[in-house]
Amino acid sequence: MRELREAVIGRDDDIRTVADALGATGDTARVLLLTAGAGMGKTTVLDRAHHAAARSGAAIVRLAPHGEDDDPHATVVTTGHGLSLIDPDHCLATLPAAEWARLRTAARSSGTAGLAAFSEALSLAARQLPLALVVDGVHRMPAPAADALGLLLRVFRPRGVPVVMAGRPQPAVDTRLTAAADTVLTLPPLRRADVAALVDVHLTRRFGRPADPGVADAVQRALGTLAGNPRAVLAVLATLDGDDLLDVDGRLHLTRADTHLRLATDDAFPLGFGRPHDPPYSGLVETAIVTARVLDHADVHVDDAFRMAPSAGARALEHALDRLITDRILTVDPQGRLSFAVPALAATLRALPVRRDVQGNSARYVTRLARRLGPEATGRGYPRLADRVAASGPRVDDTLAVPLLLAAAREDARTNWPRAARAYAAALGRLTPHDRRTPDVLHEATTLSLRHGDHAGLLALGDPLLALLDTERPAETDTAAGAWVWAALHEHRSLWDDDTDPRRRPALERRPAVTALAALGGPYGIGPLPPAPLLHAPRHSPGTPLPSPAELRLLTAAVGSRAELLRARENLPPDALDERACDRLRDAAAYGDLAGALAAVLGHRYVTAPDSIAARYRDMVRDYLAGDWEAALTTARRIEVHSRTRATAGAPHTARALAAEIHCMRGDVAHARAWLDPVPDSHPHPLAARARLAVRYWSGHEDEALDGAWRDARQARKNGLLAGVERLLLHILALAALDGRTHIRRQTLEELEALHEEAATPMTWEALLLARGITHHDADSALAAHHAIQRRGDAHLSVLSSLCLTHTADTPRPWLAEAVQRVHTLGLGRPFRLAVQRAAHRRGIPVPRFRPARRELTEPDIRLIRMVSDGASNRQIAAELACSPKTVEQRLAHLFQRTASRSRTELAALWLNGTLTEGLEAAART
């Protein structure tokens, strides 16, 4: 039933319904009409139900119009009503000779009397064997055949013979056939979970790796109204090759944008237009191709389309657009903007040839309008034409294009800032560095992108900025240069990275104020530390997201000592930063979380793009501390894909180090090493040192790991990077305690005391208290540390404090139970489980068994229960699920326990009568 498993994902219930209809006998026999749109899996559902019913003993015979008996091996009985009885499995040959002869004779009769005789013969045959009729493609059935079938089913329905018809939804199916059906089953779109499973199965089979959930999300966005269509999903996946997918952490991620996902050409026209089309394309298809090409770079309004069309073709264009909108290929929003209902169809159409000169038509229209109204008036009156001008390139003269683009950008700045930013960038691409307008335009473009956190837009201004930096007007470019550096930091790019444009670094280094902002990256793990202390700070207009000189000094001081931080705070107004915000700043600095630090200092002024590396890393740190490590790893993978596929992105070393630590704590040293390998050993941030310590130690190089961690801690303190060193030292102490290295524990405790005296942050205080608890078996210190960690929120550190309290507290059982629960929740590996067992053994108490409460069935659970309900054996289920029969047996035993069932029969009964959830609740209560 599942030879092509991906073809029936999400259709199990529908297959069972059709199979049950085909297997009905006697008075339970009914007429079922199965309807579905193109690509929804109707034929597959019908075939699978056919096979399932045949295996149960039903004799399935097809009824089709003359000429559709395309199976040369089938037994065919031609009727006198434009229909043929097709028996591919030769079931009718098992009838007694008399019944078989009666059936053939009745079939050849014509007229209503012939239909009555044919119906009676079918009824008599059904008494000898469980006969069922299947009629596929009723929506394309010729009128005479449809009339005969409708009359057969409505007036002369054969008693005891179930009939399943299949076709397109109304109005495609004849209303008389719809009226003849007892039940109409319409295949719904696949659910999101089913689409994700279909994507995962397909890509795993093709590339040998599972897909990241983001791939399925992107496919569904690209499919729009076809998002739940199985054929459409597979048509998009068929266009992907190895260059479109990137393997990160064992999962496949997309490297192309959603807008570039397309349907395979052979599927695009049947799915998008309802029928195939071949070149040369009709006017309707050509209009769709032109619209897709224009929409790729500009908004298209219905009015614009008519204005830009030559007068001779306006009527044909109006008719074509009306047809595309009526057929729901195009949609129109309340503002009159056109878009494709299926973006992947637009991507396919853009690649097809077209006879019209799309850009030439746009350029001629814009040029005529600008000469008639004036370029500034045209830009103000029709700002959406700016994208057309940008796409037209040199076809629109600069003397018209530049004033039009600038007027459009200024008009759109408040209402449509992304289009305004594109217009500014297009204007700067046409202006020369020596044009007197260039500095002002660059300043306007920079201010707009800064205000909206448009880091990609700021980085796109790099070339005009670089050209302007070489002129004699450097003061006019400081804000733009600072904004470019600001955006680069959010993409984890450093001015001192080895791959920085060799022209850009010296040009920016000549501006100390800009270089001071760039130097902020080093202390937060973005690039190397600055070569020397930078005393200048950028001065920018108030209200911008860029930090003031005092704020920049505070951000830099957050990684250092308490004294440095207090001196930096003296330069701020008293109410600028409260203690909670200051603690958030220090916490962010400990993880190299630049976005978190900026949010703590700048407050509501801070605006960033949610897809920047810095913003995503802030989310990753939040999930890591909260204990949602799966979400943290998912974010890490997306950061890695972002860094490898975008030319403007830098190396996200802090995200890689944190992902490596998570994998190492879970006992997966191989994946941890893969994450850590791209991070250079010279990376100065303590977070990278923590990851190096964990990977080396659990790889079996204990002495090397501890010695290297000591060197890293001392070097970080020498460099003034105190934030985060406390966690590195605490890791050293915990590993030394695990190995019984008393002298290292005492040495580390002394180092932590000195660090806290210098830094005096909540994190150093927690680490010091916990270190005292571990070293001196001080329950009071461990308890105080545990409460402080709980208030701040650090799931991993809570495990260490709970284990410490298991060793030191008077009542160890609750602390051991909490440690076990967190070990399971975080998925920590064998070292932590051994630590739990050692603590339990030392205190003479049993290790509690932790089982997470699960009251919902997962998709794999449901799939397994359905196969059991279908009567499949363990061996058959194992073959379908690609596992061993023993694994199936274990999974069933687990399901029996969770559902309070005692056998396969009872489990199937609970599932079929809809009371399985009651079994789950009962099992949970016990």
Side-chain angles (χ1 to χ4, degrees), residues 21 55 161 215 226 246 285 379 406 413 421 447 478 481 534 543 651 687 723 767 791:
R55 283 202 304 269
V161 180
V215 178
L226 290 178
L246 184 65
V285 175
L406 293 178
T447 303
D478 272 359
L534 299 168
L687 179 60
R791 284 193 299 272

Side-chain angles (χ1 to χ4, degrees), residues 19 412 431 551 587 677 679 790 903:
D412 266 343
L431 290 170
E551 290 167 336
D587 291 350
D677 281 346
V679 181
Q790 293 288 91
S903 66

Side-chain angles (χ1 to χ4, degrees), residues 562 569 577-584:
R562 177 74 172 174
R569 290 184 68 179
L577 195 75
D578 60 24
E579 286 303 318
R580 293 185 63 185
C582 189
D583 289 343
R584 291 199 302 272

Side-chain angles (χ1 to χ4, degrees), residues 125-144:
R127 296 176 185 177
Q128 304 296 325
L129 77 166
L131 185 65
L133 293 180
V134 170
V135 191
D136 197 4
V138 293
H139 60 285
R140 60 176 182 268
M141 184 173 284

